[in-house]
Amino acid sequence: NAGVTQTPKFRVLKTGQSMTLLCAQDMNHEYMYWYRQDPGMGLRLIHYSVGEGTTAKGEVPDGYNVSRLKKQNFLLGLESAAPSQTSVYFCASSSRDGPYEQYFGPGTRLTVT
Amino acid sequence: KQEVTQIPAALSVPEGENLVLNCSFTDSAIYNLQWFRQDPGKGLTSLLLIQSSQREQTSGRLNASLDKSSGRSTLYIAASQPGDSATYLCAVSFGPTDSWGKFQFGAGTQVVVTP
């Protein structure tokens, strides 16, 4: 039982390049989330999904897109990377049944130069 | 916008001393609160989750209390050890519209336990 996994672990992009971060969970959770963590700012929600085929914007969605084609996978895309998107990205999941305890992946450290 | 605050931002204690970590939130209409531990360069590990109907939760040396009326949760770690050194974050789910599981995070308290 791997829990929540994220690929890649590290990535360096040049400004304007694109990439996709993959999150996978094997706990059969309905809800999945993408966060970014920046020093001194805590975690901020980018996008979330309450089920296969549905996504919604969180607190800081600009510059990102997401897709949830399969229940176990949640993809985060950067179409044109900017230095402001340098951050650590975390994926999390939770069951749709309360109390919605969140389980996190190990994170992806992204640097945009 | 609801806010979650953790003070202090950093804390250093000698081994064996009890740790007291604070989390404050601005809206008493919370659904639940979750405490996490984060080691440097790692993901978040769930420690305890307290539902709004509960006043405390315990797991081993950890005890978390919840006082909705004062907008505060406290995480107690008894008899601290150097292995407890980490950043501790609290996250609050505000309901009822957010009760499906969207959390607001505090910035965390960085803890160092010295031998």
Side-chain angles (χ1 to χ4, degrees), chain A residues 31 33 35 37 40-43 45 48 50 57-59 90 94-96 98-107 109, chain B residues 1 31-32 34 36 38 41-49 51 89 93 98-108:
Chain A
Y31 298 160
Y33 319 82
Y35 294 91
Q37 185 177 37
M41 299 190 71
L43 275 78
L45 184 65
Y48 61 94
V50 298
K57 295 179 181 179
E59 183 183 352
F90 288 101
S94 67
S95 168
R96 70 178 176 192
Y100 311 121
E101 184 173 4
Q102 294 205 352
Y103 296 85
F104 277 78
R109 186 173 295 273
Chain B
K1 175 189 171 188
Y31 183 74
N32 58 31
Q34 193 169 357
F36 294 89
Q38 185 176 28
K42 303 292 187 183
L44 280 69
T45 301
S46 179
L47 297 174
L48 291 167
L49 182 145
Q51 299 184 65
L89 298 102
S93 176
D98 291 325
S99 62
W100 53 262
K102 196 165 59 173
F103 283 81
Q104 190 82 23
F105 279 80

Side-chain angles (χ1 to χ4, degrees), chain A residues 49-92:
Chain A
S49 169
V50 298
E52 184 177 321
T54 68
T55 63
K57 295 179 181 179
E59 183 183 352
V60 288
D62 294 342
Y64 305 95
N65 56 75
V66 287
S67 64
R68 183 108 180 260
L69 299 180
K70 294 182 179 181
K71 184 178 183 179
Q72 64 268 33
N73 296 338
F74 195 27
L75 279 64
L76 178 71
L78 287 74
E79 290 186 346
S80 180
S84 61
Q85 294 177 304
T86 293
S87 188
V88 181
Y89 292 85
F90 288 101
C91 176

Side-chain angles (χ1 to χ4, degrees), chain B residues 9-51:
Chain B
L11 183 63
S12 181
V13 299
E15 182 177 3
E17 195 168 292
N18 295 335
L19 276 166
V20 180
L21 305 176
N22 298 306
C23 175
S24 301
F25 43 91
T26 54
D27 188 342
S28 62
I30 74 167
Y31 183 74
N32 58 31
L33 185 148
Q34 193 169 357
W35 281 96
F36 294 89
R37 169 189 171 129
Q38 185 176 28
D39 294 293
K42 303 292 187 183
L44 280 69
T45 301
S46 179
L47 297 174
L48 291 167
L49 182 145
I50 310 178
Q51 299 184 65

